[in-house]
Amino acid sequence: MTGPTVAARDVDTHHLFTPPTSRGDWERRATELREQVLFSAGLWPMPTRTPLRPRVTGRTEAPDFIVENVAIETLPGFYLGGNLYRPRGKGPFPAIANPHGHWSHGRLEREQDVPRAEPPPAPMGEGRADLVAIGVNLARRGFVVFAYDMVGYNDTSQVGHGFAGSLEPWLWNTSLMGLQLWNSMRAVDYLASLPYVDRRRIGATGASGGGTQTFLLTAVDERVRASVPVNMVSAYMQGGCLCENGPGLRIGTDNVEIAALAAPRPLLLVAATGDWTRHVPEEEWPAVRDVYALYGAADRTEARQFNYGHNYNAESRAAMYAWFERWLGDGKPREEPERPFTLHAGAMRLWRSDSQRPAGALDEGGLIASLRERSEAQWAALRPRDARGLARFARAARPALRHALALPPLQPRALRGGTARPSVLIVADTEQISLARELAGRLQGSHRVAVEPIDVEAMTPDALWGKFYTCYNRTPLSLAVERVMTAMRRERDATGTVPDVVGLGSAGPAALLARALVPARARVAIDLGDLAQAPGGDAAYLGRFCAPGLRRAGDVRNAAILVAPGPLLVFASRGLLPPTTAEACRAAGGALREELGAPDADTLADWLARPEVGR
């Protein structure tokens, strides 16, 4: 087989969530969805926030506002550039995080420089954007604005806008989307640190790709108290750039549902008749409004649509100004047009060449390696050193593996009392099904035995990467793990206990991952030979055994630890499980035994018959 038989979803597949009918259901869904977004971005578990070390490299003063050129160190060795617009005076002022979209000049885009993004059909006006005007006019209205770069634009060019653009870094949830979301969260950190900013009144706005950043930031950062994503929240197009698609980000969800995570904080959707937001007033926004209604807050969301192509033009900006003045300002929107101003783009840049960037700035390879090292260090710090540590480890590792495999939260179910005989579930692929049946025959007198044929279908790395496949679709490994869990649930319901599990052939890694997601004290015997046949490192997890973010979640190494305190027998792992895995299993009260060769019925039957663990 070459891949899943269901139709694949992509960026242009129409998808609109169905709002739940109760606030409780929505809040449970919202918690799950926020975790999904954070995990996709490489932010679950949450990394340490290192010092920002702001650098101000220039300053422009006007009679009624000030602009500073600022760089912040969002990660050690990575610098985010932008402009800080602020009113004169001591404040405290409300503040706005302002990411830009894919405009040619980035945060320095001026209206006269912008060609029409999409020639709209007559009689629409021309869609334009002036991103400098946003900062100036909000500052004139009493707001502090941090307008910052997308990665690869203007002063944030130490890595390009194609950062992490392949399947391998996505295994670690290292992505351009994730880096930009982290930058946005650190931008809020920066605003909140300013003595003249009222940290209780922070908002966010951006258009196009900046609109994507706006609603993702608002979804996961409660400090954003009001937001205006412009011309991006759509059920028809989810964002066509690498910076808008992340590993597993939209499996089972869409931009509209993610935007609804703002509820009940004020949210204005700005749309255009000449782009993919043309249906917002009658389709997408009513779904969002239904979520707000669950909080009795339907008045805190609105939709405004203008007769233009893709834009952040004067009319869209006017709607944004009024929204922020209503919810973050004094509650009295000003009915006044934008006034002219003079700012020179050259004077708003942080540095003219890479040589002016601080020493130690990382290139793409260095940044990817640094993010991987940070991920491994997080798990090393969480690795259990005793039984109590296993519970702490599991609270982070089990949700991470579940999100990597795109599986729903486990619903606890009362057990009915065990059977007299121990229960064993044997899952095996086509090549190993005869061994599974031989083992079943050996155990028949002493155990209740179920045999489940499960193949993990083959899928090439190119197919998994094309059209951001793993952003929207479950992988063959995910589907196989779900089938193992279904079989486990069936045995549990029949016997009242979680069965011992044996996984053979390509079903072996799927069985280990499935068993790791179910807290239980039971035996697990796993054949990792098919996974270990690939070269070491990431290569083992490309193709058949791929899942978005699986390496970030600790892959089979963390799964093996989660099986503790039950005993674990592993065949043919060939270095997939480092010595630290066995140490953690022992510390958590379990036992890991590794066999170099392939599984055989004698070894398995003997091991399963040993009275090593209580039921």
Side-chain angles (χ1 to χ4, degrees):
M1 299 182 185
T2 58
T5 56
V6 296
R9 182 182 159 204
D10 64 25
V11 62
D12 293 314
T13 303
H14 180 265
H15 195 283
L16 181 63
F17 84 109
T18 300
T21 56
S22 77
R23 178 171 164 178
D25 286 346
W26 169 251
E27 291 187 341
R28 283 186 288 274
R29 172 60 178 160
T31 297
E32 175 70 11
L33 189 53
R34 286 192 181 95
E35 273 188 19
Q36 181 174 331
V37 174
L38 288 169
F39 179 76
S40 172
L43 304 177
W44 179 277
M46 184 64 71
T48 300
R49 283 172 154 89
T50 51
L52 289 170
R53 300 186 179 92
R55 288 169 164 82
V56 178
T57 67
R59 178 184 174 102
T60 302
E61 295 205 23
D64 51 354
F65 64 89
I66 298 168
V67 184
E68 293 178 338
N69 309 338
V70 180
I72 57 175
E73 194 172 359
T74 61
L75 291 162
F78 185 82
Y79 298 90
L80 174 66
N83 296 112
L84 185 74
Y85 301 80
R86 61 187 179 93
R88 291 189 174 276
K90 295 182 179 180
F93 303 109
I96 304 297
N98 178 212
H100 66 79
H102 296 90
W103 315 102
S104 299
H105 303 285
R107 74 176 198 269
L108 302 177
E109 193 75 60
R110 296 304 310 277
E111 201 157 61
Q112 60 266 31
D113 298 328
V114 184
R116 193 181 306 173
E118 289 184 6
M124 296 179 192
E126 189 173 77
R128 292 189 179 278
D130 191 328
L131 305 190
V132 178
I134 293 172
V136 169
N137 286 283
L138 279 172
R140 284 172 166 170
R141 286 167 163 80
F143 289 79
V144 175
V145 179
F146 186 43
Y148 52 95
D149 292 328
M150 290 204 298
V151 172
Y153 280 69
N154 289 326
D155 297 296
T156 310
S157 57
Q158 65 191 84
V159 304
H161 203 60
F163 173 75
S166 65
L167 189 61
E168 289 92 335
W170 276 35
L171 292 171
W172 292 87
N173 282 352
T174 297
S175 68
L176 181 59
M177 181 279 297
L179 178 57
Q180 291 197 164
L181 179 55
W182 178 247
N183 286 345
S184 292
M185 295 173 73
R186 300 311 320 265
V188 175
D189 290 343
Y190 173 56
L191 286 170
S193 75
L194 297 173
Y196 44 83
V197 164
D198 183 348
R199 64 183 62 188
R200 299 166 301 175
R201 294 188 290 158
I202 294 177
T205 188
S208 192
T212 301
Q213 290 184 69
T214 296
F215 67 71
L216 288 174
L217 170 65
T218 306
V220 299
D221 196 327
E222 291 285 338
R223 295 174 299 173
V224 178
R225 303 308 302 165
S227 59
V228 184
V230 177
N231 293 342
M232 200 59 242
V233 177
S234 170
Y236 290 84
M237 202 281 287
Q238 303 293 309
C241 181
L242 188 64
C243 75
E244 298 172 281
N245 293 275
L249 176 64
R250 295 190 184 89
I251 296 176
T253 189
D254 49 64
N255 284 357
V256 188
E257 186 177 28
I258 296 171
L261 290 174
R265 293 164 290 162
L267 171 69
L268 172 66
L269 300 184
V270 175
T273 53
D275 69 8
W276 45 84
T277 59
R278 62 179 59 91
H279 301 290
V280 162
E282 68 272 4
E283 187 170 347
E284 289 93 337
W285 179 65
V288 172
R289 184 186 56 204
D290 285 350
V291 172
Y292 275 74
L294 298 175
Y295 292 88
D299 63 327
R300 292 185 169 218
T301 182
E302 291 182 10
R304 297 287 306 277
Q305 189 175 65
F306 300 101
N307 201 36
Y308 296 96
H310 201 53
N311 76 90
Y312 206 157
N313 64 9
E315 289 177 65
S316 297
R317 296 194 298 271
M320 174 267 293
Y321 299 146
W323 190 255
F324 285 140
E325 287 176 323
R326 175 183 174 187
W327 294 106
L328 300 179
D330 60 9
K332 300 174 183 178
R334 303 182 189 181
E335 298 295 333
E336 62 180 48
E338 296 179 340
R339 290 181 282 121
F341 60 88
T342 300
L343 283 173
H344 300 289
M348 299 174 71
R349 293 291 301 268
L350 275 78
W351 30 70
R352 302 293 177 86
S353 66
D354 288 348
S355 63
Q356 294 181 296
R357 190 174 282 117
L362 299 173
D363 61 11
E364 177 160 343
L367 182 55
I368 288 175
S370 175
L371 290 169
R372 181 176 300 196
E373 289 166 7
R374 284 163 63 89
S375 174
E376 295 288 73
Q378 278 187 295
W379 290 123
L382 286 168
R383 195 173 295 128
R385 291 164 177 80
D386 52 33
R388 181 177 296 178
L390 177 61
R392 176 170 167 260
F393 174 81
R395 283 194 294 271
R398 194 163 277 128
L401 283 173
R402 186 170 55 75
H403 283 298
L405 296 162
L407 292 169
L410 300 173
Q411 299 299 322
R413 192 178 299 179
L415 301 180
R416 297 184 294 98
T419 58
R421 294 188 300 165
S423 171
V424 177
L425 170 67
I426 307 171
V427 294
D429 65 10
T430 303
E431 293 185 5
Q432 294 294 332
I433 196 67
S434 59
L435 173 59
R437 288 170 179 153
E438 179 186 354
L439 176 60
R442 296 280 295 273
L443 297 172
Q444 202 65 52
S446 57
H447 292 70
R448 171 190 165 94
V449 183
V451 175
E452 190 79 16
I454 294 176
D455 285 282
V456 182
E457 299 177 352
M459 197 168 182
T460 67
D462 285 347
L464 288 160
W465 179 248
K467 295 185 177 181
F468 307 120
Y469 182 89
T470 62
C471 177
Y472 298 91
N473 303 282
R474 297 173 61 195
T475 65
L477 178 63
S478 167
L479 297 171
V481 171
E482 182 182 50
R483 290 195 291 272
V484 176
M485 294 188 74
T486 299
M488 288 172 58
R489 190 177 300 112
R490 185 171 59 243
E491 286 303 298
R492 182 198 63 184
D493 290 347
T495 66
T497 62
V498 174
D500 294 340
V501 174
V502 177
L504 304 173
S506 65
L512 176 58
L513 292 164
R515 186 52 193 77
L517 296 179
V518 180
R521 186 180 176 92
R523 295 177 176 86
V524 184
I526 297 296
D527 173 15
L528 291 181
D530 279 21
L531 179 60
Q533 284 177 6
D538 293 344
Y541 295 92
L542 298 174
R544 184 192 299 269
F545 298 111
C546 178
L550 185 58
R551 294 280 273 160
R552 171 69 173 118
D555 53 72
V556 295
R557 297 167 297 165
N558 279 359
I561 297 170
L562 287 170
V563 165
L568 172 63
L569 171 62
V570 177
F571 293 90
S573 61
R574 294 185 183 87
L576 288 171
L577 303 179
T580 52
T581 300
E583 294 167 8
C585 287
R586 286 195 297 271
L592 170 61
R593 170 182 163 187
E594 292 190 76
E595 294 284 343
L596 296 178
D600 63 89
D602 289 339
T603 302
L604 284 164
D606 177 66
W607 185 79
L608 287 165
R610 293 179 183 180
E612 293 176 301
V613 61
R615 306 302 298 172

